[in-house]
Amino acid sequence: MARRWLLALALASGLVAGGIYHLATARAEIVVAARDMTVPRPLGAEDVELRSVTLDLVPAAAARRVEDVLGLIPRAPLFRGQLVLSNALATELADLPAGVTLASGYRAIAIPVSAVGAVGGVIVPGARVDVLAVPVIGRAPAGRMVELLATSATVLDVRGESGATLAPRDPKTSTALVDRVASVIVAIPVADELRFADRIATSTFVLALAATR
């Protein structure tokens, strides 16, 4: 009887070890950005690709199939190799829950910025900001100085690292679970689109809160 009990225990231990090994080595395919996308537009087949990663590193919102994201629009800039999350994609470019409208002749563009560069994270939709571009050494042309790209631009939305609209912080929530500022969507004149796209690829940004009109 004792031998049978020991045999059963050994078999059970082997099954548990096998299960743990399987979970640790199992892999899954996820969708990642195939190139940088700094200007909001629908995703095409050339913008995304599949990548195999360890299964336990895959978040629940990770897109698993390329066809599921085609035609959808990232809510924040995507950079090559970045994980594509299904809850960070919109069906329409005008997916701005804050309700701030985009005036005729203007375009919405996401400025990648941390809380430090966004006045400590106090910027909210409807605010007015000045947008300053600080050239990155090695990426920006030599001799380029800090530039004032826009004055009193309207903030359409503030997005977190997940790409979703940044929710107000709940003091009862653990700081480890709180989303952080990753981009601020502002309205810019159509004529400034190309200049902003170039600076996003070669600069970091600082937003200065301006007085409302």
Side-chain angles (χ1 to χ4, degrees), residues 85-180:
L85 302 176
S86 57
N87 60 0
L89 302 174
T91 55
E92 297 181 5
L93 184 57
D95 181 20
L96 299 170
V100 183
T101 58
L102 186 63
S104 176
Y106 283 76
R107 297 292 184 265
I109 191 165
I111 305 297
V113 64
S114 65
V116 173
V119 199
V122 301
I123 292 176
V124 296
R128 297 274 183 168
V129 295
D130 294 344
V131 181
L132 296 95
V134 182
V136 176
I137 298 175
R139 294 170 59 183
R144 178 179 288 174
M145 305 297 287
V146 176
E147 298 174 276
L148 179 60
L149 295 185
T151 58
S152 198
T154 300
V155 174
L156 302 175
D157 206 359
V158 180
R159 302 282 176 155
E161 292 177 333
S162 67
T165 295
L166 195 66
R169 179 170 295 185
D170 184 349
K172 298 180 181 179
T173 303
S174 169
T175 55
L177 301 177
V178 174
D179 205 358
R180 293 178 295 184

Side-chain angles (χ1 to χ4, degrees), residues 21-32:
Y21 176 79
H22 173 74
L23 291 175
T25 58
R27 301 186 70 80
E29 288 192 329
I30 58 171
V31 181
V32 300

Side-chain angles (χ1 to χ4, degrees), residues 17-53:
I20 294 174
Y21 176 79
H22 173 74
L23 291 175
T25 58
R27 301 186 70 80
E29 288 192 329
I30 58 171
V31 181
V32 300
R35 58 183 180 178
D36 294 348
M37 286 187 61
T38 55
V39 178
R41 61 175 176 77
L43 290 170
E46 69 282 359
D47 298 317
V48 292
E49 61 188 9
L50 290 175
R51 180 171 297 175
S52 178
V53 299

Side-chain angles (χ1 to χ4, degrees), residues 31 44-45 48-50 63-70:
V31 181
V48 292
E49 61 188 9
L50 290 175
R64 299 291 191 92
R65 303 189 307 168
V66 167
E67 53 266 34
D68 291 341
V69 305
L70 296 182

